[in-house]
């Protein structure tokens, strides 16, 4: 993991700490790091946020699933659940709601450094969302032609977005409501510290590892402000084995529940030995 929040004065991203949503041009910084061990199989690149409560009740409800599913009537008349991010300047917001309005928008680029030469690592932006989300739950509006600019006419972008939803990507099958970065963000996290899949790094051949051990640099277009709520941001590189990916949540949960059960067992055993031999007869003495 590489923490690039920039709270430490020595961090290259410290100059970007108080960045705003609409900073033009965006603040940029570069962090160099070293991989001690090679990554042999496909690599998953995540962004992580801390102290960000996507599980807040009002935040979770602040969306319009009909609008996100391409319903034309909901596009121009979003649900009241999206307030106060339902309209802006008397125009309906697409996509509406607090979840979409707070979408993560840092740009991360990875380079390998070999003899002072920076070689870009190919990051794949498709295939990061759930198949059911991409093909069932999220749909662009329908109408004459496939021109998203025309289909979203009469709407406006979320307040914190630098550009409208139909300009999220240059590829038609990854633009608008079916943009995979957007879809991944809209699946809210259960805990305040979480990570979301950002890019994929595929292994090109079986003779060389996907990421060799050595020096790398992470270039960041720092757009997403977290300092105001004491949040933190990090980039995570992970891979999977035959047992799957690393997920410590279940292990922590099992140990916690097991410890509670053990403690309660000791307490109940003590109560049984101390009070279990009492005479339970209901006979009334003479």
């Amino acid at each position: 993991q590489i923490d690039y929040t920039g709270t430490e004065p020595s961090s290259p991203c410290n100059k970007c700490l108080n960045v705003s949503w609409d900073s033009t041009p965006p603040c940029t910084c570069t962090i160099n790091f070293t991989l001690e061990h090679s990554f042999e199989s496909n690599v998953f690149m995540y962004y992580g946020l801390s102290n960000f409560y996507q599980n807040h009740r009002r935040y979770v409800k602040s969306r319009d699933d009909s609008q996100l599913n391409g319903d034309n009537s909901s596009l121009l008349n979003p649900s009241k659940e999206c307030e106060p991010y339902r309209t802006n300047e008397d125009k309906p917001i697409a996509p509406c709601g607090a979840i979409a309005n707070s979408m993560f928008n840092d740009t991360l680029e990875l380079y390998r450094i070999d003899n002072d030469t920076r070689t870009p690592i190919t990051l794949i932006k498709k295939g990061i969302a759930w198949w059911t989300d991409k093909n069932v739950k999220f749909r662009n509006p329908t109408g004459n032609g496939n021109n998203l600019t025309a289909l979203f006419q009469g709407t406006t972008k979320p307040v914190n977005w630098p550009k409208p939803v139909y300009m999220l990507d240059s590829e038609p099958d990854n633009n608008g409501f079916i943009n995979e970065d957007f879809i991944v963000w809209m699946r809210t996290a259960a805990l305040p510290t979480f990570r979301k899949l950002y890019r994929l790094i595929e292994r090109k051949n079986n003779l060389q590892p996907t990421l060799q051990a050595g020096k790398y640099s992470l270039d960041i277009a720092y757009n997403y402000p977290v300092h105001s709520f004491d949040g933190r941001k990090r980039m995570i590189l992970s891979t999977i084995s035959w047992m799957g990916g690393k997920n410590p949540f279940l292990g922590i949960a099992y140990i916690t529940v097991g410890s509670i059960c053990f403690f309660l067992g000791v307490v109940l055993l003590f109560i049984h030995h101390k009070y279990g031999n009492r005479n339970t007869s209901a006979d009334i003495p003479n």
Side-chain angles (χ1 to χ4, degrees):
Q1 326 186 37
I2 304 296
D3 189 307
Y4 67 93
T5 310
T7 52
E8 299 80 10
S10 60
S11 171
C13 294
N14 180 259
K15 61 183 179 179
C16 304
L17 190 60
N18 295 313
V19 71
S20 61
W21 291 90
D22 54 355
S23 295
T24 306
C27 184
T28 58
C29 55
T30 299
I31 294 181
N32 297 318
F33 65 96
T34 301
L35 286 183
E36 301 294 340
H37 305 283
S38 298
F39 282 40
E40 299 294 339
S41 60
N42 293 340
V43 177
F44 301 88
M45 185 178 187
Y46 299 85
Y47 61 86
L49 294 175
S50 298
N51 204 33
F52 192 110
Y53 288 81
Q54 274 199 313
N55 55 4
H56 191 283
R57 183 182 63 84
R58 289 189 63 188
Y59 182 89
V60 172
K61 291 176 62 179
S62 187
R63 60 188 292 165
D64 187 342
D65 287 319
S66 295
Q67 186 192 58
L68 298 174
N69 196 240
D71 183 72
N72 288 29
S73 60
S74 297
L75 181 68
L76 299 176
N77 186 25
S79 168
K80 293 183 179 179
E81 295 285 0
C82 288
E83 294 289 359
Y85 303 105
R86 180 172 177 263
T87 61
N88 186 28
E89 297 179 352
D90 296 327
K91 284 186 176 183
I93 294 176
C96 71
I99 307 176
N101 187 64
S102 59
M103 177 179 166
F104 181 84
N105 65 341
D106 281 358
T107 301
L108 308 176
E109 295 179 346
L110 191 63
Y111 295 86
R112 173 171 170 76
I113 302 176
D114 191 11
N115 295 328
D116 295 329
T117 301
R118 287 175 21 119
T119 304
I121 304 297
T122 302
L123 304 178
I124 299 173
K125 60 186 176 183
K126 294 182 181 180
I128 61 175
W130 289 22
W131 186 92
T132 50
D133 287 350
K134 175 77 173 181
N135 296 279
V136 179
K137 293 182 65 176
F138 289 80
R139 280 279 183 267
N140 281 324
T142 55
N144 296 326
N146 295 320
N147 188 342
L148 288 184
T149 304
L151 293 174
F152 282 98
Q153 188 174 7
T155 67
T156 187
K157 67 179 182 65
V159 177
N160 287 339
W161 285 26
K163 53 189 176 183
V165 68
Y166 52 82
M167 295 178 63
L168 289 179
D169 198 283
S170 58
E171 300 182 29
D173 62 344
N174 193 43
N175 200 10
F177 290 157
I178 59 173
N179 176 265
E180 297 203 28
D181 285 327
F182 171 66
I183 293 173
V184 168
W185 177 257
M186 292 299 291
R187 181 169 283 278
T188 53
L191 301 173
T193 297
F194 58 87
R195 64 182 183 179
K196 292 178 182 285
L197 187 57
Y198 180 69
R199 294 291 182 265
L200 302 174
I201 306 173
E202 289 187 346
R203 187 173 187 177
K204 295 181 179 180
N205 60 66
N206 295 326
L207 301 178
Q208 293 184 346
T210 309
L211 292 179
Q212 298 178 5
K215 295 181 179 180
Y216 290 83
S217 66
L218 177 68
D219 284 10
I220 304 148
Y222 199 114
N223 300 306
Y224 201 73
V226 296
H227 185 56
S228 59
F229 56 88
D230 295 326
R232 299 197 71 86
K233 300 190 290 186
R234 62 195 187 280
M235 183 278 295
I236 304 153
L237 295 176
S238 178
T239 187
I240 58 173
S241 66
W242 62 272
M243 295 182 63
K246 178 182 178 182
N247 186 356
F249 175 76
L250 284 179
I252 295 172
Y254 289 154
I255 292 174
T256 303
V257 173
S259 300
I260 293 173
C261 292
F262 177 77
F263 174 75
L264 291 177
V266 172
V267 171
L268 293 175
L269 182 65
F270 173 78
I271 293 174
H272 172 73
H273 278 281
K274 185 172 181 63
Y275 303 105
N277 294 326
R278 285 188 171 185
N279 186 3
T280 57
S281 174
D283 295 340
I284 300 176
N286 293 330

